[in-house]
Amino acid sequence: ITTWFSANGLSINIDKTQALYYLPLARSRSPVQAVDLNNSISLSLVPAAKLLGIHVDNHLNWSVHIDHVKNKLQTQKWALRNLVKVMSVKSALLLYHSNIMSYLRYGVILWGRSPHASSLFIEQKKILRILFNLPFNHTCREIFKKHNLFTLPSLFIFESLKFAIFNKIISPNDMLPNHNYNSRHNFIHQDKVHLSVSRLNIRIGATQIFNALLSLSLHLQKLFSDGETRSFLCKLET
């Protein structure tokens, strides 16, 4: 790393540099305790580091980042509880999109498939109950439908597919040849993975989502195979 930086006329800011050693979840301690740079500077290992607003942990299960977002939502929940008393439903929804959905949308393609994300979905429903003055055990299903709101799982699905399409991770050219629309086989080749952390990979996750969605709708199959990717996403969003 230091050789590459030096060759490109750059220097490392040691005060802002951290080191992570990625570990399987079953292992709690790394075999090394520090990383040496140029045999002169030693960086202690940290369990998690913040990069562009995303907290990356050494197990890659995103628990640290999800806890951070959960704390943000709980702070917003306290504020909303007081604001909804003096604002209309329209204003409350604007506040919801700007102050709640912005946290849930940012980086969701990275952490949205983590099992820890279910706690954020629970917080999302609690916030909607506050906005619409509903009992704590009331279902939010009709609220999501009536106001065309994404649940956290559906937000993850939509953002993953959008990212995969716009970045050419998956394209209509990847459709398997001579595919029978009524077949139960995959529409796009899906790699087999053995490590659970590998399933968090955006390419693998997006492929699994595509195969599941295309098996449910002939119309979505037709739009995607014809290269109508924007129409595909618009249809999916509605």
Side-chain angles (χ1 to χ4, degrees), residues 64-187:
V64 176
H65 181 74
I66 289 171
D67 286 342
H68 172 75
V69 176
K70 185 176 179 180
N71 289 335
K72 291 289 187 181
L73 294 186
Q74 289 176 341
T75 301
Q76 293 295 328
K77 184 169 61 177
W78 179 86
L80 287 172
R81 198 182 299 276
N82 295 289
L83 290 172
V84 293
K85 299 175 183 178
V86 294
M87 61 173 49
S88 64
V89 172
K90 183 178 180 181
S91 298
L93 285 174
L94 286 174
L95 198 63
Y96 169 80
H97 282 290
S98 60
N99 288 25
I100 304 300
M101 287 304 291
S102 58
Y103 285 118
L104 295 179
R105 190 181 297 272
Y106 186 66
V108 69
I109 62 173
L110 298 174
W111 53 262
R113 211 177 189 193
S114 167
H116 300 279
S118 60
S119 64
L120 293 183
F121 186 29
I122 293 173
E123 289 299 317
Q124 182 188 23
K125 290 185 286 187
K126 286 180 179 179
I127 288 170
L128 285 176
R129 292 188 184 104
I130 291 172
L131 289 179
F132 292 94
N133 195 28
L134 298 174
F136 75 95
N137 58 350
H138 194 280
T139 179
C140 293
R141 186 186 300 270
E142 293 304 318
I143 297 296
F144 283 114
K145 289 183 178 180
K146 180 179 179 181
H147 298 282
N148 198 27
L149 303 176
F150 276 122
T151 63
L152 180 59
S154 61
L155 177 66
F156 165 71
I157 290 173
F158 180 75
E159 292 294 329
S160 295
L161 295 184
K162 184 170 70 173
F163 181 87
I165 288 175
F166 289 163
N167 290 277
K168 310 298 182 183
I169 295 174
I170 291 177
S171 72
N173 296 330
D174 296 323
M175 294 281 285
L176 296 175
N178 302 319
H179 194 282
N180 180 357
Y181 283 163
N182 295 319
S183 170
R184 294 183 179 179
H185 298 293
N186 289 336
F187 294 83

Side-chain angles (χ1 to χ4, degrees), residues 213-238:
L213 282 175
L214 295 180
S215 65
L216 297 176
S217 172
L218 290 173
H219 184 51
L220 288 177
Q221 292 172 23
K222 185 71 166 56
L223 287 174
F224 188 69
S225 61
D226 289 347
E228 300 289 339
T229 53
R230 290 189 179 274
S231 298
F232 173 85
L233 290 172
C234 288
K235 178 66 178 176
L236 195 61
E237 188 174 11
T238 57

Side-chain angles (χ1 to χ4, degrees), residues 19-35 43-47 58-59:
L20 279 83
Y21 192 100
Y22 295 105
L23 295 162
L25 196 56
R27 293 175 59 186
S28 58
R29 295 188 62 184
S30 66
V32 296
Q33 300 304 314
V35 175
L43 295 175
S44 298
L45 296 182
V46 294
N58 59 355
H59 294 303

